[in-house]
Amino acid sequence: MFGRRDLVKLVIPLIVEQLLSATLGMADVLMVAFAGEAAVSGVSLVDTINMLILSVFAALATGGSIVSAQYIGREDLENGRRAAKQLLLVTFALSALVMLVCVLGQRPILRGLYGQAEEAVLQNAHTYFLITAFSYPGIALYNAGTALFRSMGNSKIPMFTSALMCASNIVINAVLIYGFRLGVLGAAAATLFSRTLCAAIVLALLRRRTHLIYIDSYLRWRPNFSMIRSILSIGIPTGLENGLFNVGKILVQSLITTFGTAAIAANAVANQTSAMSDIPGSAIGLALITVVGQCVGAGQYAQARKYAFRLTGAAYAMMAVLNAGVLIFVNPILGIFGLSPEAAGIARELMIFYSISCAVIWPSAFTLPNGLRAAGDVKFTMGVSILSMWVFRIGFSYLITAMFDLGVLGVWIAMVIDWIFRAILFIARICGNKWQQKKLI
């Protein structure tokens, strides 16, 4: 169903999009570093919460895009369009509710999670959390819209809108942080503006009837509960998986706050650079949603498995090259963040450990299971991910740091143990046939 040229045309823009997304996150940290380590640490703490919330929105987007991709594979475009509209309806309702909860409850949320952090770190976190919460509807609708374009095999529009988001965010960051010296406030305002702008553009582009999937009108909405159930049958398990995964990360982040501000800052920088290391695997994982979803919709399960392994292999090749580059240039990369010698030393250790582990294990643990999700086998991926997260990443984080006094490195070792467990089970699952028995539409 997909030739080599089709796959290249799909994957390359996705890689560029993921690169821009990672660059955006890194640019925020770099520019906020101008205001000091307390500012970097505050933004890092809130970013962990934001990742939890955005992962739920991304899960909904995944559910909608899988349903649409399977309808496209079945050549039932009318129902694909209906599913797209239901996705936007559910996404907006959920994101508005989450925004309201976070705006009203941001102080008790932060104090409850990170009460042990220094007061200067918490003050920066309060500012960043309050303003970025207003961007949730924008980024949720943006994610849903770009996921729909990917389900059609159109990855260029997500790439170009991601470029616009990145450019506008960096320019406004520069003006507000360096020009007006607003620090964390400026970074949050830039995030709010760029997300809202790009959401409006994506929604406008979805109105074009030249696309396979388009929205006939934003003025007429009627819930279709059958399609909403199909979307949520993917979105809820994926959301639980992503949500509990990020809850675990927050708990681990809370452990890291006990190691001091230098450890928090080093962890924040290593997290940003690790996002760059994951780019090929993340991009190809998004491509798997489209490719496997359309194959399953057409009933071509043998092709679905073939593409899952072929694209995961491509992710391994690309990530090996990229992470080799990170290892070679680790010191120049660290130099641009302006960390203290103590924080830089911790960050260097984390980056080296992560790059090696990422190239060897990450694609099987995180790229490959997207093929299972696209086939509707989301309960299995959810069960494996939740079990692995809580037993290995969280449980072993506390165990390793307590027994071996490794500090933040112990947390990252536990994370890689989590990856190994996932990879073994996901490879075994896709080699079998049970995933082919899941029906979505």
Side-chain angles (χ1 to χ4, degrees):
M1 292 180 63
F2 294 86
R4 179 174 295 179
R5 180 174 295 182
D6 297 321
L7 295 176
V8 170
K9 286 173 63 177
L10 178 63
V11 168
I12 296 302
L14 287 172
I15 291 175
V16 175
E17 179 192 352
Q18 293 298 301
L19 176 62
L20 290 167
S21 179
T23 300
L24 179 58
M26 187 177 293
D28 267 350
V29 174
L30 278 170
M31 291 177 158
V32 169
F34 180 76
E37 282 190 4
V40 174
S41 299
V43 170
S44 172
L45 296 183
V46 174
D47 274 344
T48 307
I49 300 173
N50 282 341
M51 286 300 295
L52 165 62
I53 293 167
L54 297 186
S55 71
V56 175
F57 301 151
L60 274 181
T62 298
S65 65
I66 289 173
V67 172
S68 293
Q70 290 198 13
Y71 275 125
I72 291 171
R74 187 179 285 188
E75 300 183 353
D76 184 357
L77 298 182
E78 186 62 33
N79 275 322
R81 292 164 192 150
R82 290 172 182 160
K85 196 165 185 178
Q86 297 305 306
L87 170 63
L88 296 180
L89 176 63
V90 173
T91 297
F92 178 74
L94 177 63
S95 61
L97 177 62
V98 173
M99 177 193 73
L100 184 63
V101 170
C102 290
V103 167
L104 296 178
Q106 54 102 9
R107 285 192 176 274
I109 290 171
L110 288 174
R111 293 285 176 180
L113 290 171
Y114 306 126
Q116 297 182 30
E118 296 177 8
E119 188 61 30
V121 172
L122 283 174
Q123 287 303 317
N124 282 296
H126 286 310
T127 300
Y128 193 72
F129 192 21
L130 177 62
I131 296 175
T132 55
F134 285 105
S135 74
Y136 292 162
I139 192 62
L141 290 170
Y142 170 82
N143 285 340
T146 52
L148 290 171
F149 279 114
R150 294 187 203 103
S151 73
M152 308 176 220
N154 184 341
S155 54
K156 289 184 179 179
I157 286 178
M159 178 185 70
F160 286 125
T161 52
S162 182
L164 176 61
M165 185 183 295
C166 185
S168 62
N169 191 284
I170 289 174
V171 169
I172 299 171
N173 265 346
V175 172
L176 298 182
I177 295 174
Y178 300 140
F180 291 91
R181 298 184 179 273
L182 294 179
V184 168
L185 175 62
T191 298
L192 172 60
F193 176 82
S194 60
R195 287 176 174 177
T196 305
L197 172 66
C198 290
I201 291 172
V202 167
L203 292 178
L205 290 173
L206 279 172
R207 289 279 287 120
R208 292 185 177 178
R209 293 175 179 265
T210 53
H211 300 307
L212 292 175
I213 302 293
Y214 61 82
I215 305 300
D216 56 356
S217 172
Y218 289 118
L219 299 178
R220 297 188 301 273
W221 297 92
R222 179 178 296 175
N224 184 321
F225 293 105
S226 175
M227 286 192 171
I228 290 174
R229 279 195 296 271
S230 293
I231 293 168
L232 294 181
S233 70
I234 299 290
I236 289 176
T238 306
L240 284 172
E241 176 186 338
N242 291 348
L244 290 173
F245 177 82
N246 283 284
V247 166
K249 289 179 69 175
I250 291 173
L251 293 176
V252 170
Q253 182 78 54
S254 181
L255 172 62
I256 292 172
T257 61
T258 65
F259 301 142
T261 300
I264 298 173
N267 188 68
V269 169
N271 276 330
Q272 292 299 328
T273 57
S274 70
M276 302 292 288
S277 301
D278 300 343
I279 285 171
S282 298
I284 291 174
L286 292 174
L288 273 174
I289 295 291
T290 300
V291 173
V292 173
Q294 290 193 23
C295 287
V296 169
Q300 299 292 333
Y301 290 98
Q303 287 197 54
R305 180 190 282 121
K306 179 188 73 173
Y307 287 125
F309 281 120
R310 179 183 294 180
L311 288 170
T312 302
Y316 267 111
M318 294 180 192
M319 292 178 76
V321 173
L322 180 59
N323 283 280
V326 172
L327 290 173
I328 293 170
F329 296 105
V330 61
N331 288 328
I333 292 171
L334 273 175
I336 64 178
F337 287 95
L339 294 174
S340 66
E342 180 185 2
I346 298 171
R348 182 182 298 105
E349 187 176 49
L350 298 179
M351 288 171 63
I352 291 171
F353 175 74
Y354 187 91
S355 293
I356 295 170
S357 303
C358 184
V360 175
I361 306 164
W362 200 95
S364 293
F366 294 98
T367 303
L368 184 64
N370 266 9
L372 296 172
R373 294 185 185 100
D377 194 16
V378 289
K379 291 183 179 179
F380 178 80
T381 59
M382 177 188 70
V384 170
S385 299
I386 292 174
L387 175 66
S388 185
M389 178 71 184
W390 288 85
V391 172
F392 296 108
R393 185 170 299 202
I394 298 175
F396 277 43
S397 287
Y398 284 89
L399 181 64
I400 292 172
T401 54
M403 290 183 63
F404 300 102
D405 194 27
L406 292 174
V408 69
L409 177 61
V411 172
W412 286 57
I413 291 172
M415 174 182 69
V416 172
I417 296 172
D418 165 37
W419 296 359
I420 294 170
F421 180 79
R422 291 167 185 258
I424 292 170
L425 294 188
F426 290 144
I427 291 171
R429 182 71 167 189
I430 206 162
C431 286
N433 296 317
K434 286 187 177 180
W435 61 275
Q436 300 178 22
Q437 301 167 13
K438 308 300 177 181
K439 299 296 181 184
L440 182 59
I441 61 173

